[in-house]
Amino acid sequence: MQASIGDRIHIHGRTVGQHDRTGEVIEVLGQDGAPPYRIRFEDGHETLIQPGPDAVVEPPSQA
């Protein structure tokens, strides 16, 4: 998985009742776009993640 600052990351809920989460990549700490990533979620929460198979990187939306 590779990401750039500004990309969106979509993390699918893994259990029944757990909602999907979407956030913006604000920092790439690995080499050449590799994880880990610092993510800012829609609620303003920031965290460092090492995405698993339940995550998808999406380019920023073109508005």
Side-chain angles (χ1 to χ4, degrees), residues 21-33:
R21 297 191 72 193
T22 303
E24 179 183 357
V25 177
I26 58 172
E27 185 177 8
V28 177
L29 299 168
Q31 292 182 346
D32 299 321

